[in-house]
């Protein structure tokens, strides 16, 4: 597939994600297993695949990198998007409850509740970034959702 096959807003699964050289002074970036195309231009594509050293961002994939990738477009419908969002919430809540149980064994009830709240926001933030990389939610929406969940500004 070439970059002309990439659809803006679509999510893709990559079977051979490469390590990408970034700007001088920045660390190399391992392309994620999933990415969402945010723009196609200048002989390549801008893609979102999660968090970077400097925060939440997109990375430019030149055409010569795109042609080396083995990938497939992910199907998404309203039903699958809803199901993935619900799965993210359910798994985040389950992980937070497990964390509360672990902390309760070694601390106070207040400490365990605080730990579970913190763990929930961290886990859900990771889930939201993953959903954005799969094209389930818009990457800009993922930033807003993460900021609301954690109270930490990513801008």
């Amino acid at each position: 597939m070439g970059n002309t096959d990439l659809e803006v807003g679509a999510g893709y699964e990559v079977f051979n994600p490469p390590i990408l050289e970034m700007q001088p002074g920045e660390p190399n970036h391992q392309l994620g297993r999933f990415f969402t195309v945010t723009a196609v231009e200048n002989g390549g594509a801008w893609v979102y695949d999660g968090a970077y050293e400097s925060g939440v961002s997109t990375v430019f994939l030149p055409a010569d990198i795109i042609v080396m990738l083995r990938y497939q477009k992910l199907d998404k419908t309203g039903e699958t998007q809803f199901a993935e969002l619900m799965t993210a919430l359910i798994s985040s809540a389950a992980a937070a409850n497990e964390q509360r149980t672990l902390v309760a064994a070694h601390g106070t009830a207040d400490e365990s509740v605080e730990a579970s709240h913190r763990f929930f926001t961290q886990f859900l933030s990771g889930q939201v970034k993953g959903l954005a990389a799969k094209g389930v939610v818009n990457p800009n929406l993922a930033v807003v959702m993460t900021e609301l969940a954690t109270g930490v500004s990513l801008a």
Side-chain angles (χ1 to χ4, degrees):
M1 291 184 150
N3 67 321
T4 56
D5 295 356
L6 296 175
E7 179 183 321
V8 174
Y12 294 86
E13 181 175 9
V14 182
F15 301 106
N16 61 336
I19 295 176
L20 304 170
E21 289 186 32
M22 303 306 281
Q23 298 294 330
E26 291 183 22
N28 290 342
H29 174 71
Q30 172 71 57
L31 185 67
R33 191 173 132 219
F34 299 99
F35 66 75
T36 295
V37 177
T38 59
V40 176
E41 62 183 43
N42 300 326
W46 287 95
V47 301
Y48 172 86
D49 73 334
Y52 296 82
E53 291 291 325
S54 60
V56 179
S57 187
T58 58
V59 65
F60 184 73
L61 296 179
D64 60 331
I65 297 290
I66 294 171
V67 297
M68 294 187 315
L69 296 179
R70 288 185 304 119
Y71 59 90
Q72 73 177 11
K73 184 177 175 185
L74 300 170
D75 292 327
K76 67 178 177 181
T77 64
E79 290 175 5
T80 59
Q81 288 175 301
F82 181 76
E84 290 212 36
L85 284 168
M86 289 302 99
T87 299
L89 285 171
I90 290 165
S91 61
S92 298
N97 284 334
E98 183 178 321
Q99 183 70 15
R100 180 172 35 208
T101 301
L102 291 171
V103 172
H106 303 287
T108 67
D110 287 343
E111 290 171 333
S112 67
V113 169
E114 181 184 332
S116 70
H117 289 176
R118 188 172 53 251
F119 194 80
F120 176 80
T121 59
Q122 291 169 342
F123 198 92
L124 182 59
S125 295
Q127 295 289 308
V128 168
K129 288 177 189 175
L131 293 174
K134 289 180 175 181
V136 175
V137 295
N138 179 297
N140 292 328
L141 178 60
V143 171
V144 172
M145 290 174 72
T146 301
E147 287 178 354
L148 288 173
T150 64
V152 176
S153 175
L154 300 174

